[in-house]
Amino acid sequence: MSRPTPLRGVHEALGATLTDFAGWLMPLRYGSESAEHNAVRQAAGLFDLSHMGEIFVTGPQAGEALDYALVGHISALEPGRARYTMIVDPRGGVLDDLIVYRLADEEFMVVANASNYPRVAAELTERAGTFEAAVEDRSEQYALVAVQGPRSREILGELTDADLDGLKYYAGLPATVAGRPALLARTGYTGEDGFELFVAAGDAEPLWAALTKAGEPYGLLPAGLSARDTLRLEAGMPLYGNELSADLTPFDAGLGRVVRFDKPGDFVGRAALEPLKDVPPARRLVGLIATGRRVPRHGYPVVSTDGAVVGEVTSGAPSQTLGRPIAMAYVDNGVSAGLAVDIRGSHEPVEVVELPFYRRKK
């Protein structure tokens, strides 16, 4: 049975279409998917992300423990900053992609994907065993609400006196928002400017109500998983289970930059990943733009002009911003033109492009 988030009552009152996602009952859409997508691109969207996991690592060697457990140089983070990173297995396969926030000298919060956070918590506990550090999964205590879009700064400014203009991208600070204590972070998964608010589960409903009211004059809409997926796809952001998996390394996904071989000491996966850093992977992750109207979907084969399979679609959807279907796919290295996607036996031509499809104006 799917687990509800603290905002289930709100979603039901709004008439959301609810669906199971990674074992959670989540809003797929509230009305029009395209309206929700466009609201984030043009104004702002409000998301319930309470299915994500919050795992705390604390203690005098918390930073060193995370350096060993993850591929990034986490101990180099300044308090108040965040970093995108990954946890891999000893073979270098990606177990999850993560955002790590350094909250204080000896306190870090690891945010993991909904489907993976129990395993991430278990792996972190095991890997931190030889360090003076404690790992605690506090996911049940938290709700996570995101405001994303070009008007998000103005909306949030109605509810907090925190220095939003001074808050850099991938940074966070403790704040009071609508009278509720929150960790306010300038992060997101849409390709737009925006903020994520980590609050006590019991504060989720009043915070949502305050943000909804403050956002009305700015065109804010509640947005569900469908819009979240098309937004992150346009922004070229990977989704675990699609572009990332234990069968792929960070280098396969074109994200080798997150692997920090220059940090001190060993880390899990180092021996497997180091030989790969200067070797082109057999396949590379690319963007595909369809020339027709049919949508390439996850799992569809990518074929060359002679019909040979040269790749596979990992994510695909109609793009509201481009007005054409788009997809991400792994294709054989060296293949860049004359491709099509096999959509139920019909070879639909596609253009290969570098990611992302969409980049916001600064």
Side-chain angles (χ1 to χ4, degrees):
M1 186 173 179
S2 302
R3 298 168 59 187
T5 76
L7 289 162
R8 176 181 181 173
V10 171
H11 304 320
E12 290 177 337
L14 290 170
T17 300
L18 298 173
T19 188
D20 177 84
F21 179 78
W24 289 82
L25 189 65
M26 298 293 294
L28 185 65
R29 68 182 72 82
Y30 298 88
S32 163
E33 295 173 12
S34 60
E36 293 169 24
H37 178 108
N38 290 333
V40 176
R41 287 281 179 254
Q42 299 164 12
L46 184 60
F47 295 85
D48 176 13
L49 308 180
S50 302
H51 59 312
M52 303 292 280
E54 293 85 18
I55 303 159
F56 283 72
V57 183
T58 58
Q61 291 188 303
E64 290 84 349
L66 288 169
D67 282 347
Y68 173 71
L70 309 178
V71 300
H73 192 180
I74 308 304
S75 65
L77 273 177
E78 295 291 329
R81 298 309 303 267
R83 181 160 295 165
Y84 176 79
T85 187
M86 296 180 183
I87 183 169
V88 302
D89 62 24
R91 302 175 301 108
V94 179
L95 299 178
D96 202 12
D97 60 335
L98 314 163
I99 296 180
V100 180
Y101 298 84
R102 188 167 199 166
L103 306 180
D105 286 342
E106 297 184 4
E107 183 179 23
F108 297 79
M109 181 175 69
V110 179
V111 178
N113 287 299
S115 58
N116 295 331
Y117 76 74
R119 181 176 184 182
V120 172
E123 288 285 346
L124 289 178
T125 299
E126 180 180 344
R127 297 179 188 190
T130 60
F131 296 87
E132 197 175 345
V135 178
E136 183 182 2
D137 183 355
R138 302 182 192 170
S139 304
E140 299 290 340
Q141 302 173 28
Y142 280 89
L144 175 56
V145 175
V147 187
Q148 299 282 301
R151 308 300 297 273
S152 58
R153 159 65 185 84
E154 296 162 272
I155 294 167
L156 200 55
E158 302 278 348
L159 301 174
T160 183
D161 59 4
D163 181 13
L164 299 179
D165 290 330
L167 187 63
K168 297 179 179 178
Y169 188 49
Y170 267 68
L173 52 78
T176 299
V177 182
R180 312 280 169 164
L183 172 64
L184 192 162
R186 201 163 203 156
T187 46
Y189 193 52
T190 62
E192 296 295 340
D193 189 19
F195 302 86
E196 295 183 320
L197 305 170
F198 297 85
V199 297
D203 288 338
E205 282 202 21
L207 177 64
W208 182 281
L211 287 165
T212 298
K213 183 177 181 180
E216 280 180 14
Y218 298 95
L220 176 140
L221 290 180
L225 290 176
S226 289
R228 181 170 161 85
D229 191 52
T230 54
L231 290 159
R232 70 92 193 166
L233 176 57
E234 288 184 348
M237 294 178 171
L239 174 66
Y240 194 87
N242 290 36
E243 288 73 43
L244 300 171
S245 75
D247 295 323
L248 297 165
T249 74
F251 293 101
D252 292 324
L255 294 168
R257 64 183 181 276
V258 307
V259 184
R260 293 294 300 273
F261 296 110
D262 58 342
K263 64 180 175 178
D266 194 14
F267 62 90
V268 177
R270 180 173 195 141
L273 291 173
E274 199 146 24
L276 304 178
K277 64 181 181 181
D278 297 318
V279 180
R283 285 188 169 186
R284 64 191 181 102
L285 188 64
V286 300
L288 304 177
I289 301 178
T291 59
R293 307 305 303 174
R294 300 185 72 186
V295 181
R297 298 290 186 184
H298 174 80
Y300 287 6
V302 179
V303 297
S304 61
T305 50
D306 61 3
V309 176
V310 295
E312 184 175 295
V313 174
T314 55
S315 297
S319 168
Q320 296 296 323
T321 305
L322 276 65
R324 294 163 67 184
I326 61 173
M328 288 195 279
Y330 280 104
V331 300
D332 293 346
N333 232 331
V335 175
S336 59
L339 299 184
V341 174
D342 185 339
I343 302 179
R344 298 186 181 89
S346 175
H347 290 187
E348 302 291 334
V350 292
E351 176 188 356
V352 179
V353 298
E354 293 298 319
L355 295 169
F357 300 99
Y358 167 83
R359 199 184 301 272
R360 71 181 175 94
K361 296 177 181 178
K362 302 294 184 181

